[in-house]
Amino acid sequence: RGVPVVTICTDDGPDEIKDTLSVLFGDQAPPFEILFDPDTKVVEDKFGTTLYPETWILDKHGTIRARFDGPRPWSGALPLEVIEMIGRPAGCAVPFNRGKPQGPDAHLCGVR
């Protein structure tokens, strides 16, 4: 099954990342959507991001199911395991505010 991938870039726009994309993908378009947030309204205000890169895995309802700080080798088995986890009923189904889990079950998410 397909899993949509979106990246949020804090650069000013496509011209700033053109050379990087060219090195990574050549003449082909990236296989994911790139959104821009140069004022960091989304990454800081909504997700509380302070360390780049961060990877957030959300389920189809928008519930944050996993968070990874720093770079990760996404070409191995981990991405498949995370995608399979999203389909399971258990997980981190607690609300987040500014990147931190909230409420009485916040400790279940393991995010500090």
Side-chain angles (χ1 to χ4, degrees), residues 3-111:
V3 175
V5 174
V6 176
T7 185
I8 301 174
C9 185
T10 57
D11 292 296
D12 283 332
D15 287 341
E16 265 192 57
I17 64 169
K18 178 176 54 174
D19 292 340
T20 300
L21 293 177
S22 177
V23 168
L24 294 172
F25 301 107
D27 292 336
Q28 296 191 11
F32 48 82
E33 186 173 359
I34 300 174
L35 305 176
F36 290 91
D37 182 25
D39 297 327
T40 67
K41 297 280 187 209
V42 173
V43 297
E44 286 183 11
D45 294 348
K46 181 169 175 107
F47 291 108
T49 298
T50 57
L51 172 69
Y52 300 101
E54 286 182 356
T55 301
W56 294 74
I57 309 296
L58 288 73
D59 65 17
K60 64 182 178 181
H61 304 290
T63 302
I64 297 168
R65 301 294 299 267
R67 171 183 168 176
F68 301 92
D69 293 337
R72 293 285 187 269
W74 293 107
S75 61
L78 178 63
L80 294 176
E81 291 175 21
V82 171
I83 291 167
E84 287 178 9
M85 177 201 69
I86 293 171
R88 296 182 195 133
C92 183
V94 300
F96 273 68
N97 184 7
R98 297 188 60 76
K100 299 195 184 323
Q102 304 296 306
D105 297 321
H107 66 284
L108 298 174
C109 295
V111 179

